[in-house]
């Protein structure tokens, strides 16, 4: 089965200092809770270059870039973006 979404979480030093590792782990937990674990691939990446805006999360397809993501934001991203197909406007990079 192909993945419907790829969730890329910055693993750079600045994002990790902004709880990036907890964001990464939260995506696994929330994907399981929303029953979409088999449809998404969750990957920790290198730096996206927006260190001052971390934690940075990019979701494909669509090239959606979220900034300032905290562990508490992950459930909303999964429910709204992954399940319902609606980006979370308050976290979008502008």
């Amino acid at each position: 089965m192909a993945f419907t979404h790829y969730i890329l979480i910055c693993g750079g030093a600045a994002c990790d200092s902004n709880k990036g590792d907890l964001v990464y782990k939260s995506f696994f937990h929330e994907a399981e809770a929303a029953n979409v674990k088999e449809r998404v691939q969750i990957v920790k990446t290198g730096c996206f270059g927006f260190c001052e805006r971390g934690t940075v999360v990019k979701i494909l397809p669509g090239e959606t870039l979220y900034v300032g993501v905290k562990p508490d934001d992950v459930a909303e991203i999964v429910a709204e973006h992954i399940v319902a197909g609606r980006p979370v406007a308050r976290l979008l990079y502008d």
Side-chain angles (χ1 to χ4, degrees):
M1 178 201 306
F3 296 111
T4 60
H5 293 88
Y6 296 85
I7 303 170
L8 311 175
I9 298 102
C10 177
C15 285
D16 270 352
S17 71
N18 281 320
K19 300 186 178 179
D21 194 52
L22 286 175
V23 169
Y24 175 71
K25 291 174 183 174
S26 294
F27 269 106
F28 284 98
H29 173 76
E30 294 300 334
E32 173 114 29
N35 202 29
V36 296
K37 183 177 80 166
E38 302 300 321
R39 297 184 359 215
V40 299
Q41 184 172 32
I42 302 165
V43 179
K44 187 181 268 196
T45 70
C47 180
F48 286 117
F50 299 103
C51 301
E52 69 282 355
R53 304 286 302 270
T55 296
V56 178
V57 175
K58 185 174 187 176
I59 299 183
L60 305 171
E63 303 287 326
T64 304
L65 192 65
Y66 291 117
V67 294
V69 177
K70 304 291 183 224
D72 291 343
D73 298 321
V74 174
E76 182 179 7
I77 293 171
V78 170
E80 289 297 314
H81 190 124
I82 303 303
V83 175
R86 297 182 298 256
V88 179
R90 69 182 179 80
L91 296 171
L92 289 173
Y93 174 75
D94 55 26

